[in-house]
């Protein structure tokens, strides 16, 4: 069966180290050339996919599809919409009763990734045609109109992949501000910092965990300051961190000698939120 691996720091395709590029290998540990060629294109060439997290998502989707190809003894370059529809239905209704169906958003994400792969293969001459087709569907009237709805000439229709499943985006149910305040009141300083930044900036957990002291400016008189985490997606703008001086302390921020304050901050924040990095 196919295996999914990721490049190490020694991988230098153009002279510079590239970490985390996904690669598919067959049972004899040989590169699966069409899959690896597309993944290399995604990671090294395509300008809109600069995040290693995006590379991993594409690699995992293609890896799951390739295992399905091998398990059913299909040829990757001769599958049609019937095989991909069977793959989709297997994710919707797993044959094993103990296995849970995947979320429809996950299924659609995998199908779109596979479609991107086959469209790229068709564009480079590896295959003659793609197994995917598109059709026009009517958008739901309950869907909120976009900013340019007044100049939209599509007539409320959108062209979509025929193999994707219907998916209604459910809005999250946030906690009430009073509930958040009650929860924060019982937290230690470090956890309170994580929650406050998440609530006020929308920063993700992995971005908070990847925040380094060196990323914080040495001087900032504003109550909000932009900070880019080491775990932040390349396409996402820097988050604005609120009240960094209050939480981290003037000694840590400006490099002044304040041993007692520094020790308090170290104990309060711990390695999860902020870590020293030279």
């Amino acid at each position: 069966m196919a295996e999914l691996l990721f490049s190490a720091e020694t991988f230098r395709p153009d002279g510079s180290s590239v970490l985390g590029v996904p690669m598919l290998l067959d049972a004899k540990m040989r590169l699966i050339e069409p899959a690896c060629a597309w993944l290399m294109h995604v990671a090294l060439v395509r300008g809109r996919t600069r995040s290693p997290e995006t590379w991993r998502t594409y690699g995992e989707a293609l890896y799951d599809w390739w295992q399905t190809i091998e398990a059913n003894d299909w040829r990757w370059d001769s599958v049609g919409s019937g095989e991909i529809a069977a793959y989709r239905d297997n994710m919707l209704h797993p044959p094993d009763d103990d296995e849970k169906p995947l979320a429809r958003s996950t299924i659609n994400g995998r199908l779109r990734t596979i479609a991107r792969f086959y469209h790229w293969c068709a564009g480079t001459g590896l295959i003659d045609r793609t197994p995917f087709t598109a059709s026009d569907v009517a958008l739901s009237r309950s869907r909120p109109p976009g900013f340019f709805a007044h100049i939209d000439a599509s007539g409320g229709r959108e062209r979509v992949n025929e193999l994707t499943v219907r998916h209604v985006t459910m809005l999250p149910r946030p906690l009430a501000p009073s509930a958040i305040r009650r929860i924060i009141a019982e937290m230690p300083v470090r956890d309170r910092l994580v929650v406050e930044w998440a609530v006020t900036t929308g920063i993700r957990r992995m971005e908070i965990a990847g925040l380094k002291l060196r990323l914080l400016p040495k001087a900032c008189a504003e109550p909000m300051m932009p900070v880019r985490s080491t775990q932040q997606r390349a396409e996402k703008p820097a988050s604005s961190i609120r009240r960094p001086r209050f939480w981290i302390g003037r000694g840590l921020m400006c490099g002044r000698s304040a041993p007692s304050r520094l020790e308090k901050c170290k104990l309060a924040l711990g390695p999860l939120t902020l870590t020293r990095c030279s």
Side-chain angles (χ1 to χ4, degrees):
M1 298 291 285
E3 296 288 343
L4 176 64
L5 302 177
F6 296 87
S7 65
E9 294 179 353
T10 53
F11 179 61
R12 298 175 177 271
D14 298 316
S16 57
S17 176
V18 184
L19 181 66
V21 178
M23 296 184 183
L24 287 184
L25 279 68
D26 62 15
K28 296 182 179 180
M29 301 304 290
R30 297 174 299 190
L31 292 175
I32 301 175
E33 293 186 7
C36 290
W38 179 68
L39 292 171
M40 291 276 286
H41 173 77
V42 167
L44 303 179
V45 179
R46 192 166 184 266
R48 297 183 65 86
T49 50
R50 296 296 81 224
S51 169
E53 293 300 318
T54 302
W55 308 345
R56 174 177 288 274
T57 299
Y58 284 9
E60 289 174 348
L62 201 59
Y63 165 63
D64 188 75
W65 168 241
W66 222 272
Q67 284 201 323
T68 302
I69 291 175
E70 294 182 346
N72 291 277
D73 199 25
W74 297 337
R75 286 181 55 88
W76 78 270
D77 53 354
S78 61
V79 295
S81 57
E83 288 85 351
I84 298 178
Y87 170 67
R88 174 203 62 200
D89 294 342
N90 188 71
M91 292 187 286
L92 274 173
H93 308 288
D96 190 351
D97 294 336
D98 296 332
E99 188 177 355
K100 293 183 178 180
L102 296 179
R104 290 180 173 238
S105 58
T106 301
I107 295 173
N108 286 342
R110 289 186 178 182
L111 293 175
R112 292 187 184 107
T113 298
I114 297 169
R116 293 186 187 101
F117 165 68
Y118 278 102
H119 284 304
W120 180 84
C121 289
T124 54
L126 294 176
I127 56 176
D128 296 330
R129 61 178 182 83
T130 68
F132 290 88
T133 56
S135 61
D136 294 332
V137 299
L139 300 177
S140 172
R141 293 185 178 182
S142 62
R143 183 175 180 178
F147 184 76
F148 294 105
H150 59 291
I151 59 173
D152 184 12
S154 65
R157 303 184 69 84
E158 184 179 16
R159 195 160 185 82
V160 300
N161 188 329
E162 275 195 341
L163 291 169
T164 55
V165 295
R166 184 180 179 87
H167 173 239
V168 179
T169 303
M170 301 297 293
L171 294 177
R173 299 180 60 184
L175 292 173
S178 58
I180 295 177
R181 284 193 291 268
R182 288 197 303 269
I183 295 173
I184 290 179
E186 302 297 328
M187 288 182 173
V189 175
R190 187 202 69 168
D191 296 342
R192 190 160 67 247
L193 171 62
V194 171
V195 173
E196 176 168 334
W197 282 357
V199 170
T200 57
T201 70
I203 191 171
R204 299 179 302 170
R205 289 174 299 172
M206 61 179 297
E207 294 168 352
I208 295 177
L211 190 61
K212 309 292 184 181
L213 284 176
R214 64 176 174 81
L215 299 174
L216 303 178
K218 294 182 179 180
C220 183
E222 301 296 328
M224 303 282 288
M225 69 175 185
V227 174
R228 182 174 294 279
S229 169
T230 57
Q231 298 296 324
Q232 200 164 28
R233 289 180 181 267
E235 298 86 351
K236 183 178 178 181
S239 300
S240 294
I241 300 300
R242 179 172 178 262
R243 298 164 65 196
R245 287 176 177 270
F246 173 79
W247 286 109
I248 302 171
R250 191 177 300 274
L252 273 172
M253 290 288 295
C254 302
R256 299 177 181 178
S257 57
S260 59
R261 187 71 173 273
L262 178 61
E263 291 300 322
K264 289 180 181 179
C265 290
K266 282 184 177 180
L267 292 173
L269 297 176
L272 174 63
T273 305
L274 296 176
T275 54
R276 286 193 175 277
C277 185
S278 57

